[in-house]
Amino acid sequence: MRIDVISIFPEYLAALDLSLIGKARRDGLLQLQVHDLRGWTTDRHRTVDDTPTGGGAGMVMKPEPWAQALADVAGAADGLPGGAAADGARRPVLIVPSPAGEVFTQATAYELAGEEHLVFACGRYEGIDERVLEWAAEQYTVRPMSLGDYVLNGGEVAVLAMVEAVGRLVPGVVGNPESLVEESHSDGLLEYPVYTKPALWRDRAVPEVLLSGNHAAIARWRRDEQLRRTARRRPDLLERLDPAVLDKGDRAVLAALGWSVGVDGLRPGPGAGLGAGNEAVAE
Ligand SMILES: C[S@@+](CC[C@H](N)C(=O)[O-])C[C@H]1O[C@@H](n2cnc3c(N)ncnc32)[C@H](O)[C@@H]1O
């Protein structure tokens, strides 16, 4: 997979040299390049922003250095003079981090991990002139994407999170692909609690079933814990779960937690959920 990140703070992305993503770059699994947007400016001051048309606070990123940068990066992807939109070429995906974008989820990460070329355009100030996104749609599939319902100072932090979430799903990046299967959000539920040695630590024992060697019992316990934890911390996820994925054991656990399971989905009853507070006691 090829990934290009364009930013006015390329040094912010230095963390992408570390850990598994850094190794994937060195191993050639990810061709990741970080570009300085100011490299596409033409004035002495390397200006990338201007005042907002119509008035208001802050500054807006000017269209021109962005257009040059995006055209070059898309064109460089396939070496064609017409850029990536040329006949037969798969369009690169332009991800524009924005608190006004669709929310980035694990499902998005899986979707993007199947792409050949991702380009991330890090906004700063009040964001990028909207016409850049319209214009870029001629060459790219454009996806404004939010990390969550809060506002950051720039797109770089969001890009670090998204590149890591997508990159680790690219085959070969995570050594043991099985570790991706049971993770939080991979099946619509949160992951079960995990433990390591020693079996007894500061008077706290690991759940006995995990020492039993009974793989079926361990799998059942883990599934039950997934359901309990999700009901407690993220009931919204349970409400979105397809009832068809629930077996008899799941349904019994949910009933004990006060949830009803109908053909149209899962609904919390009056006694459902302890809330997120007092978590340690609840667990
Ligand atoms: C200060 S923010 C601009 C916020 C913008 N004026 C708004 O209210 O939608 C500057 C940049 O930070 C990035 N950013 C801020 N919050 C973000 C979020 N929740 N997810 C992704 N990117 C974000 C975007 O690149 C954005 O252009």
Side-chain angles (χ1 to χ4, degrees), residues 46-191:
R46 308 180 85 206
T47 311
V48 294
D49 60 321
D50 208 333
T51 53
T53 305
M59 299 294 272
V60 173
M61 295 191 102
K62 287 156 65 72
E64 204 37 57
W66 273 114
Q68 287 296 330
L70 293 172
D72 283 355
V73 166
D78 56 11
L80 298 172
D87 283 351
R90 189 151 162 203
R91 280 171 172 245
V93 180
L94 175 63
I95 296 152
V96 186
S98 164
E102 65 176 293
V103 176
F104 180 87
T105 65
Q106 186 67 8
T108 326
Y110 271 106
E111 228 178 279
L112 296 177
E115 294 291 342
E116 285 165 12
H117 186 197
L118 304 179
V119 178
F120 291 88
C122 299
R124 281 269 155 183
Y125 318 114
E126 296 307 321
I128 303 170
D129 187 307
E130 191 66 24
R131 293 167 295 177
V132 174
L133 279 65
E134 293 164 19
W135 169 86
E138 290 170 17
Q139 294 191 83
Y140 289 92
T141 300
V142 180
R143 295 185 69 172
M145 196 86 67
S146 170
L147 209 56
D149 292 340
Y150 41 82
V151 179
L152 303 164
N153 285 336
E156 290 77 8
V157 167
V159 169
L160 287 173
M162 293 189 238
V163 167
E164 183 153 316
V166 173
R168 67 196 295 279
L169 299 178
V170 170
V173 173
V174 169
N176 181 357
E178 276 198 18
S179 60
L180 302 174
V181 175
E182 290 188 346
E183 285 184 321
S184 297
H185 304 292
S186 57
D187 58 0
L189 297 173
L190 303 182
E191 197 187 47

Side-chain angles (χ1 to χ4, degrees), residues 3-7 10 13 16 32-37 40 66 73 118-122 155-156 159 163:
I3 299 178
D4 290 280
V5 183
I6 307 169
S7 161
L13 286 307
L16 294 174
L32 196 158
Q33 271 190 282
V34 179
H35 310 268
D36 185 348
L37 177 68
W40 281 278
W66 273 114
V73 166
L118 304 179
V119 178
F120 291 88
C122 299
E156 290 77 8
V159 169
V163 167

Side-chain angles (χ1 to χ4, degrees), residues 2 10 42 63-64 74 92 122 150 164 203 248 257 260:
R2 181 186 162 133
T42 47
E64 204 37 57
C122 299
Y150 41 82
E164 183 153 316
D203 292 335
K248 226 171 106 186
L257 292 169
S260 65

